[in-house]
Amino acid sequence: LCTQKAFVVTGSADRMLRVWNFMKRRAEFTHTFDEEILSLALHPSGLRLLVGFRTGLRMYNMLAEGIHPCTEFPVKPCNQVRFSTGGHMFAAVVAHRVLIFNSYDFTCVAQLSGHTVMIRSISWSSNDQYLTTADLNGVAYTWQIANQERIDTDDVRKGVSYSTVAVSYTHLRAHETPEHLVCRLLLEKKKTTNT
């Protein structure tokens, strides 16, 4: 979903990418790839697109008539990818690690490691300072991007396999599985001072 244009991007099992205009309720264009699409992310401006494959992660420029290759990243396989809220960074998942890239000069600015199994979902905070990750073992972490450190304690829910993670303005994280929905409110510890 694009925040500045009425675009939604979908990828299907038939290797077909579709760019939809949800205001006009139609597909703007389609593109067929030679390999299976594992992940997709649309830049908030609607001008760039990330497509994850088993062989790597590719960035495309979105033009009126279709997509045009821009650059490729050595992220194999790229199971999850997501642009930051402002679009100046993006996170790409490689199994149990997250790589953070600058969207303009394409450099890797951070590497987040701590999960022991495949990361299933990632979500940026609204101010792009934090990234929340959830894995298949029921472990969710929140990371501070600038320091490349986890800022919360382990959130482990045995027997839960997260399918999605979301971060809102109130720091509410929701992790959903087909069986149930688990919500947790993150409360920041505030130091009290004597006045």
Side-chain angles (χ1 to χ4, degrees):
L1 180 65
C2 176
T3 58
Q4 296 179 13
K5 293 186 179 181
F7 290 156
V8 175
V9 177
T10 60
S12 58
D14 63 356
R15 303 174 179 175
M16 177 79 69
L17 170 88
R18 289 179 177 83
V19 177
W20 301 89
N21 184 321
F22 61 83
M23 295 297 284
K24 296 179 182 177
R25 297 182 179 194
R26 69 171 191 199
E28 291 291 321
F29 58 84
T30 62
H31 184 88
T32 304
F33 291 102
D34 294 334
E35 54 188 314
E36 180 185 6
I37 300 168
L38 299 180
S39 57
L40 292 168
L42 186 57
H43 191 274
S45 69
L47 299 176
R48 290 219 165 137
L49 172 70
L50 288 165
V51 183
F53 303 100
R54 291 192 198 295
T55 58
L57 175 65
R58 296 184 203 136
M59 181 179 282
Y60 294 89
N61 292 319
M62 299 249 308
L63 307 174
E65 68 280 354
I67 59 174
H68 184 269
C70 176
T71 192
E72 189 164 340
F73 301 91
V75 178
K76 299 176 185 180
C78 184
N79 297 316
Q80 293 285 326
V81 64
R82 183 164 293 188
F83 276 104
S84 63
T85 307
H88 62 290
M89 294 183 285
F90 65 88
V93 173
V94 181
H96 58 278
R97 293 183 322 142
V98 180
L99 304 174
I100 309 292
F101 289 90
N102 181 305
S103 297
Y104 304 113
D105 66 10
F106 312 131
T107 57
C108 184
V109 297
Q111 294 187 33
L112 311 176
S113 297
H115 289 277
T116 57
V117 296
M118 190 171 85
I119 297 170
R120 183 92 179 253
S121 182
I122 55 178
S123 182
W124 289 91
S125 65
S126 60
N127 62 7
D128 293 335
Q129 292 180 14
Y130 306 100
L131 183 76
T132 300
T133 58
D135 70 23
L136 293 173
N137 274 354
V139 176
Y141 295 136
T142 298
W143 306 85
Q144 185 174 28
I145 301 303
N147 299 337
Q148 300 182 38
E149 295 176 351
R150 287 195 341 239
I151 62 165
D152 61 350
T153 58
D154 293 355
D155 180 11
V156 179
R157 309 219 185 233
K158 295 196 184 243
V160 175
S161 178
Y162 296 137
S163 62
T164 187
V165 62
V167 178
S168 75
Y169 292 101
T170 59
H171 302 287
L172 179 69
R173 288 198 306 198
H175 313 284
E176 185 177 353
T177 66
E179 294 82 28
H180 58 283
L181 177 68
V182 179
C183 292
R184 176 170 78 97
L185 184 62
L186 297 176
L187 300 174
E188 295 180 8
K189 293 182 180 179
K190 295 184 179 182
K191 293 181 181 178
T192 57
T193 58
N194 295 332
T195 54

